[in-house]
Amino acid sequence: MPLQHKLTRIEKVLDYIHEHLDESIHVASLAEKSCWSRWQFQRVFGEATGLTVAQYIRELRLSKAAELLLSSKKKHIDIAILCGFDSEISFSRAFKNMFNCTPREYRLRGKRQGLRTPLQYRTEKTLAGDKLKAFTQIRIESRDAFQLNGVHGWIHGPFSSTPDFIERVPQLWKTIDKKNEYFAPTAQPIGIIDTHYHPQNPDQMCYWAGYLGQPKNTYDTIDVPSQEYAVIPVHGKVAAVEQAVEWFIHRWLPESDYDGISGYELEVYDPHYDPKSSQSYMEYWLPIKPR
């Protein structure tokens, strides 16, 4: 069967799940809607999304519950029933397994952390050698203020009339990589893009390349305030970042319950991230606020 036909079937199942989260949803009935056997459906769903059906439904229900805890004054039992749980006990147990805290603690904390949003079909286009990731799931995370030590420079971004970020950003990372002995081998590399308007550089953004943790020598330092972010997973070579961010801005954000805001965008890399590897993984964090 052509890939697009498989994805169309999965998309129909996803639409059904999203519209009936507060009802009982059984794998057998979803398989019937997909025209596959139960075993075939579970296999195709897992290959397309990277999740089991039960895991996906549970995470969406609990994310909806977490949002209601923060945006409403509803009682926990009412939220549990609205999100498809039959008791407050089962709801609290599942909630703690996902968020590592009770619903009460989450509400008192007052921060969106670990929220999963519905999977969305993104694209069939891939970079050479990259594995197809047909669906993308955005997370919503609050991140506390932190300090980064590193190097910085001005860049023209992708929406500039003279973009140069493809050349400038690697140059900045090479500069700090030469001094990498000052950081622990497991220090996490983070890129920061300051998207605030700067009158002295009206057509540019300031890019920071650095590592979390204090180095042994003196680096420039930037303080990033606490902020709420949409987290975009990016699989493959570094060139996939621009494609993922473009999809997010043009497709995901307008249809979401959030607005993009100026602030500090983050590129969060694994300590052993290889920009040339099709097996690499990083996350792009964009500042947002609820509508």
Side-chain angles (χ1 to χ4, degrees):
M1 177 184 294
L3 177 62
Q4 183 56 49
H5 290 175
K6 289 185 179 180
L7 296 181
T8 299
R9 288 189 186 183
I10 294 296
E11 286 181 275
K12 289 181 179 178
V13 170
L14 289 174
D15 287 341
Y16 180 85
I17 291 173
H18 302 158
E19 293 171 4
H20 298 82
L21 272 180
D22 58 343
E23 304 172 16
S24 294
I25 302 176
H26 302 286
V27 173
S29 62
L30 294 178
E32 283 185 18
K33 295 180 185 302
S34 72
C35 301
W36 283 302
S37 71
R38 179 171 178 166
W39 178 84
Q40 291 169 333
F41 168 66
Q42 288 178 298
R43 178 176 179 177
V44 174
F45 188 94
E47 290 174 347
T49 68
L51 300 164
T52 67
V53 179
Q55 178 187 2
Y56 180 61
I57 294 172
R58 183 173 63 253
E59 289 184 352
L60 283 189
R61 284 175 170 169
L62 291 168
S63 294
K64 179 181 178 181
E67 181 61 50
L68 287 171
L69 287 168
L70 299 182
S71 62
S72 77
K73 295 183 180 179
K74 294 181 184 295
K75 295 180 180 179
H76 292 180
I77 182 60
D78 294 332
I79 291 176
I81 293 172
L82 278 172
C83 296
F85 292 89
D86 54 11
S87 72
E88 187 174 349
I89 293 176
S90 62
F91 165 60
S92 296
R93 185 185 302 117
F95 193 94
K96 189 169 185 178
N97 285 338
M98 178 170 172
F99 295 105
N100 296 315
C101 67
T102 65
R104 180 177 180 275
E105 291 168 338
Y106 196 94
R107 176 172 262 170
L108 288 174
R109 190 183 298 165
K111 295 181 178 180
R112 290 176 177 80
Q113 292 180 317
L115 299 189
R116 268 55 167 192
T117 65
L119 283 162
Q120 288 193 21
Y121 176 68
R122 206 179 98 190
T123 179
E124 287 188 69
K125 296 179 180 179
T126 58
L127 301 169
D130 285 352
K131 185 178 179 180
L132 175 65
K133 299 295 179 182
F135 293 92
T136 295
Q137 186 176 44
I138 302 298
R139 292 197 330 271
I140 307 300
E141 299 279 4
S142 293
R143 186 169 186 138
D144 292 335
F146 69 95
Q147 191 176 80
L148 185 81
N149 303 282
V151 297
H152 60 93
W154 293 97
I155 65 171
H156 288 94
F159 304 111
S160 167
S161 58
T162 56
D164 63 0
F165 66 98
I166 293 179
E167 299 80 23
R168 290 285 294 129
V169 170
Q171 290 171 0
L172 288 167
W173 278 107
K174 286 181 180 179
T175 299
I176 199 168
D177 282 346
K178 292 177 180 178
K179 307 172 185 177
N180 204 11
E181 68 271 13
Y182 296 111
F183 296 92
T186 56
Q188 185 176 49
I190 291 187
I192 298 176
I193 304 95
D194 182 355
T195 64
H196 293 97
Y197 177 72
H198 296 275
Q200 71 277 25
N201 298 90
D203 298 323
Q204 293 180 290
M205 301 180 291
C206 190
Y207 184 94
W208 287 75
Y211 293 80
L212 290 180
Q214 289 290 340
K216 295 180 180 178
N217 70 331
T218 302
Y219 273 83
D220 291 335
T221 300
I222 181 173
D223 292 300
V224 179
S226 59
Q227 177 60 58
E228 196 165 272
Y229 297 89
V231 182
I232 309 170
V234 182
H235 300 267
K237 302 170 187 175
V238 71
V241 176
E242 184 181 0
Q243 186 183 62
V245 173
E246 183 177 358
W247 166 82
F248 174 87
I249 292 173
H250 293 290
R251 296 288 302 278
W252 189 89
L253 195 58
E255 299 174 7
S256 74
D257 296 322
Y258 300 91
D259 287 327
I261 60 175
S262 294
Y264 298 96
E265 299 180 3
L266 312 179
E267 298 173 336
V268 181
Y269 299 96
D270 179 88
H272 305 293
Y273 179 81
D274 179 359
K276 297 180 180 179
S277 172
S278 61
Q279 303 303 313
S280 289
Y281 176 78
M282 60 84 68
E283 294 179 340
Y284 201 98
W285 294 46
L286 282 99
I288 56 168
K289 67 176 182 179
R291 287 188 185 145

